[in-house]
Amino acid sequence: MKFQQGYSQKQQQTQKLAMTQELQQSIQILQFNTEELQDYVETVSLENPLFEVVAPKIQSDLMQMHSGAVKEESFIQIADHPVSLFEHLINQVHLNYRDTFIREIMLVLVEYVDVNGYLKVEEEKIKEELNATDIQYLDALTLLQQLDPPGVGARNLQECLMLQTEQDDYAPELAYLLLEESFDAIAKRKFEQIAKEYQISLAQVQQILDYIRTLNPFPGASFGGQDSNFIIPDLTLVRRDGELVVLSNKRGQLRLNFQENYFNRLKQQADEETKIYLKEKLQQFEWLNKTLGQRKDTILEVGKIIVQHQAHFFEDKQGALKPLMLKDVAKQLEVHESTISRAVNGKYIETDFGVFELRGFFVNKVNDEDTSADEVKQLIASLVEQEDKRKPLSDQKIVELLAEKDQKISRRTVAKYRDALNIPSSSKRKRFD
């Protein structure tokens, strides 16, 4: 067997996309969210004296429509200075307590309260550092735990719920005692055991547990941190004559102001080198302005298709989403799928019932059927809502009921969707009233 190596010349025509620097920048600009886009454009403006950047307003078009009397300046002021939990507690300590050693301990303890309102500290270490007695430390802790919000300063969930119950004049009579003595039994929903131990009815146990569910396990979470990030929506959805209309949020768009007087003045006095410089900067401005317009138009067109396809969600205010793929929108707009992906990531649409990321409206089909996971979840939620709480539906029973509605999914999928909806298992949904 012989192996021969030959050489030949052959001319072949191929088609290749040259990824120019401008094309790369256009793709990047489409992918940027509002904050990233502003940072990028402002960086470019530092090297180009022919334009200035007008930053987007925090208040959107929809907010302006519904709050004509609200001054935008006051909104921004509130937004830029959120009250943190730390500040809220410090202010209460200074306002309500004299300058004593107990207050000094309280101020130290506040520094160890986490964002959820829990005290995370080594007690012995603090006592040693402050040279505080057990009684002094306990007095400071007790006063800290009486501050607002109720439950703050707790060292664990049980103590957090007990503190809230203790400060609530309308709490059921035995709620505090059950939390203190039978917390594990409550967590495991041992109704019969609790009823027998405290000689009360199952309905009374149910009433106490219903009350406990109204308590806040994270009392500090509602307070802002030191910094506050705002979502500036790219699109606004309005209703006109019964129709859903998608608009670009003009107040949320940054603008480029061309410095025409400056440009003309330099152009009249410029030498050849300066003229070349001005020409380059003018071309950069024109390209950037055009690219920003294309970005806005692309996001708007994608938003229109999403709203048209998911009309049920917007008309019913968070109705079920229908299956929608990136490739479906890409095909309709005759662009690449990656373009749609860039156009929806980090981009938001504002409605009169909330602000939503465009990416969230893309959902897969279930079992290759024309049904989305969101629709199946809503069916499950509806079945659970209508069930007899004394005999709640098992996951297998839900499977059977869904099959009657031509939705064939496994018991494991039902359990997964139920967990995603924060719906407890049937044993934990059972009620005794």
Side-chain angles (χ1 to χ4, degrees):
M1 182 178 294
K2 295 182 179 180
F3 293 89
Q4 294 182 343
Q5 187 177 32
Y7 299 89
S8 65
Q9 285 186 332
K10 185 169 67 173
Q11 193 174 34
Q12 186 176 2
Q13 189 175 30
T14 60
Q15 195 172 30
K16 187 177 181 181
L17 176 65
M19 183 70 77
T20 64
Q21 183 177 1
E22 284 192 351
L23 180 58
Q24 290 176 342
Q25 289 174 333
S26 296
I27 291 172
Q28 192 176 30
I29 285 174
L30 179 60
Q31 188 163 338
F32 285 148
N33 60 32
T34 304
E35 185 179 351
E36 293 167 340
L37 180 65
Q38 183 176 340
D39 289 342
Y40 171 79
V41 174
E42 287 181 345
T43 300
V44 174
S45 72
L46 294 176
E47 302 174 355
N48 191 329
L50 298 187
F51 72 89
E52 64 177 1
V53 181
V54 181
K57 304 283 184 71
I58 289 180
Q59 192 177 31
S60 68
D61 288 338
L62 196 61
M63 288 175 61
Q64 184 72 4
M65 292 175 197
H66 292 290
S67 59
V70 178
K71 290 185 178 180
E72 183 179 326
E73 290 79 9
S74 61
F75 177 79
I76 296 174
Q77 185 176 11
I78 293 171
D80 285 344
H81 300 283
V83 177
S84 68
L85 177 62
F86 175 80
E87 292 170 324
H88 183 62
L89 296 176
I90 289 291
N91 289 339
Q92 291 179 77
V93 174
H94 283 297
L95 184 64
N96 296 311
Y97 298 99
R98 294 181 294 106
D99 186 8
T100 63
F101 183 55
I102 298 299
R103 189 179 81 163
E104 182 182 337
I105 300 174
M106 290 178 68
L107 292 172
V108 172
L109 291 179
V110 168
E111 297 180 14
Y112 291 91
V113 175
D114 68 16
V115 293
N116 290 319
Y118 287 87
L119 182 63
K120 303 294 184 182
V121 66
E122 295 181 24
E123 296 186 0
E124 295 303 322
K125 183 178 179 182
I126 292 296
K127 288 186 225 176
E128 184 178 342
E129 288 180 358
L130 297 177
N131 194 24
T133 65
D134 291 344
I135 297 297
Q136 289 170 329
Y137 179 87
L138 185 59
D139 285 346
L141 175 61
T142 301
L143 293 176
L144 172 67
Q145 292 179 341
Q146 292 175 1
L147 299 179
D148 180 77
V152 75
R155 291 161 290 186
N156 52 53
L157 175 60
Q158 180 182 10
E159 188 174 41
C160 178
L161 301 179
M162 288 171 61
L163 288 170
Q164 292 178 59
T165 304
E166 184 179 32
Q167 296 175 40
D168 183 3
D169 294 334
Y170 299 97
E173 186 177 350
L174 292 175
Y176 185 89
L177 186 62
L178 262 64
L179 284 168
E180 183 179 30
E181 298 181 348
S182 303
F183 184 71
D184 289 340
I186 291 173
K188 295 175 182 177
R189 293 177 60 85
K190 295 184 177 180
F191 284 76
E192 290 86 353
Q193 176 183 321
I194 295 172
K196 183 178 180 180
E197 184 174 349
Y198 293 91
Q199 297 182 349
I200 56 178
S201 67
L202 291 173
Q204 287 175 295
V205 177
Q206 184 71 67
Q207 181 187 14
I208 293 172
L209 263 64
D210 287 345
Y211 166 78
I212 290 173
R213 287 196 192 94
T214 67
L215 303 177
N216 187 358
F218 307 110
S222 60
F223 287 81
Q226 295 299 330
D227 299 313
S228 182
N229 295 321
F230 287 94
I231 292 174
I232 301 177
D234 302 85
L235 303 174
T236 301
L237 180 68
V238 297
R239 301 172 194 273
R240 291 180 178 170
D241 300 324
E243 298 290 327
L244 297 173
V245 181
V246 183
L247 305 170
S248 286
N249 179 19
K250 293 180 181 179
R251 298 174 67 84
Q253 302 286 336
L254 58 81
R255 293 183 291 107
L256 308 183
N257 275 356
F258 183 63
Q259 307 289 72
E260 188 170 0
N261 292 335
Y262 177 78
F263 173 75
N264 290 332
R265 192 166 63 249
L266 280 182
K267 188 177 180 181
Q268 291 172 359
Q269 305 172 1
D271 53 23
E272 280 304 312
E273 186 177 347
T274 304
K275 287 181 179 179
I276 294 173
Y277 171 80
L278 286 176
K279 182 179 179 181
E280 289 177 351
K281 295 304 177 184
L282 178 60
Q283 288 176 340
Q284 183 185 48
F285 163 75
E286 290 174 340
W287 172 85
L288 183 58
N289 203 33
K290 178 184 176 182
T291 302
L292 290 176
Q294 291 173 337
R295 174 186 183 273
K296 181 187 72 172
D297 292 342
T298 300
I299 295 172
L300 178 60
E301 290 305 311
V302 172
K304 287 179 178 179
I305 294 175
I306 289 174
V307 170
Q308 182 182 16
H309 189 88
Q310 305 290 12
H312 176 62
F313 174 88
F314 296 104
E315 288 170 349
D316 290 355
K317 297 190 176 182
Q318 301 192 26
L321 293 175
K322 294 186 177 299
L324 181 63
M325 308 289 286
L326 292 172
K327 63 182 179 181
D328 298 331
V329 180
K331 183 178 180 181
Q332 195 166 340
L333 291 179
E334 298 182 347
V335 296
H336 195 273
E337 188 176 328
S338 61
T339 300
I340 305 302
S341 178
R342 294 186 181 99
V344 298
N345 283 331
K347 317 302 189 305
Y348 294 83
I349 183 169
E350 182 182 30
T351 73
D352 57 2
F353 60 96
V355 177
F356 305 92
E357 187 179 11
L358 297 183
R359 179 81 189 188
F361 295 104
F362 291 86
V363 291
N364 295 327
K365 296 180 180 179
V366 177
N367 294 338
D368 296 324
E369 299 291 335
D370 193 25
T371 305
S372 69
D374 191 67
E375 289 176 295
V376 174
K377 286 179 182 178
Q378 289 214 358
L379 285 173
I380 293 173
S382 178
L383 289 171
V384 170
E385 184 179 354
Q386 297 171 24
E387 71 184 0
D388 181 353
K389 299 304 179 185
R390 292 169 298 182
K391 297 180 180 179
L393 300 173
S394 66
D395 289 345
Q396 183 57 42
K397 185 61 179 177
I398 293 176
V399 169
E400 295 169 5
L401 293 173
L402 288 174
E404 294 176 6
K405 299 178 182 290
D406 296 325
Q407 301 297 334
K408 298 179 181 179
I409 60 176
S410 67
R411 186 184 60 78
R412 181 178 296 180
T413 303
V414 167
K416 182 178 73 172
Y417 288 170
R418 178 174 52 70
D419 288 341
L421 292 165
N422 292 319
I423 296 176
S425 63
S426 57
S427 62
K428 293 183 178 180
R429 298 200 305 272
K430 187 174 182 180
R431 297 182 63 87
F432 295 89
D433 50 8

